[in-house]
């Protein structure tokens, strides 16, 4: 169903605004406080859902209840309702555009986590991203991570003795 695909995309995109390269872990939302608070809560839920063993998710077990409360509160920020305008259905909302976007992101995330998504933590060396396992053989967030993992295994095989 196209709608749920869209929802999954935006939730995973938001989760992955934390990413890593050789220089370390980066945060794309470093200056957007409210969105970052939502994203951090969603990453706690993602870590919980995937039993994330990576250092970037350390301590998430103690923050799950707080994260659920944050996501639910943000989801309630921008209630909307259908209205008839000249015979067409429009969506009315009395929040400002920023609040509305944030509320929609949180509402999408609620539906995402409530739909039992096949969410996975990418366990390639150094990666901090999440992905939806959308086919049975998918094991990494990207082909780059798959290649990195294969190279690391190759290296370990040839340098262990
Ligand atoms: Zn990855």
């Amino acid at each position: 169903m196209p709608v749920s695909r869209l929802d999954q995309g935006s939730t995973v995109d938001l989760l992955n605004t934390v990413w890593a390269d050789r220089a370390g872990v980066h945060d794309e939302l470093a200056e957007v406080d409210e969105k970052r608070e939502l994203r951090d809560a969603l990453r706690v839920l993602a870590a919980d859902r995937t039993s994330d063993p990576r250092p970037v998710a350390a301590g998430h077990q103690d923050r799950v209840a707080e994260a659920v409360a944050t996501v639910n509160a943000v989801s309630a920020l921008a209630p909307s309702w259908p209205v008839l305008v000249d015979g067409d259905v429009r969506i009315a909302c009395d929040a400002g555009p920023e609040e509305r976007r944030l509320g929609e992101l949180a509402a999408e995330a609620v539906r995402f986590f409530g739909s039992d998504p096949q969410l996975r933590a990418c366990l390639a060396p150094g990666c901090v991203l999440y992905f939806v396992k959308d086919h049975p053989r998918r094991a990494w967030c990207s082909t780059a991570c798959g290649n990195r993992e294969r190279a690391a295994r190759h290296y370990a095989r040839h340098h262990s003795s």
Side-chain angles (χ1 to χ4, degrees), residues 34-77:
E34 284 173 315
K35 197 170 176 185
R36 196 170 73 183
E37 194 183 340
L38 174 62
R39 190 275 321 278
D40 289 348
L42 294 177
R43 283 187 65 94
V44 169
L45 298 189
D48 181 53
R49 192 60 70 89
T50 61
S51 304
D52 193 341
R54 301 173 297 184
V56 73
H60 72 264
Q61 293 89 344
D62 303 330
R63 293 162 52 214
V64 174
E66 183 193 333
V68 168
T70 298
V71 173
N72 286 343
V74 178
S75 180
L77 261 185

Side-chain angles (χ1 to χ4, degrees), residues 95-154:
E98 288 287 299
E99 259 185 343
R100 183 171 178 173
R101 183 64 196 135
L102 211 56
E104 283 169 356
L105 273 172
E108 282 169 17
V110 166
R111 287 190 287 269
F112 175 77
F113 281 102
S115 70
D116 192 23
Q118 297 299 301
L119 189 67
R120 298 286 184 274
C122 180
L123 300 181
C127 189
V128 299
L129 303 186
Y130 292 96
F131 66 97
V132 172
K133 189 175 173 70
D134 50 11
H135 69 85
R137 293 180 56 206
R138 181 162 182 188
W140 317 108
C141 74
S142 63
T143 31
C145 273
N147 292 339
R148 214 139 31 96
E149 174 65 18
R150 272 185 288 278
R153 263 184 300 192
H154 181 84

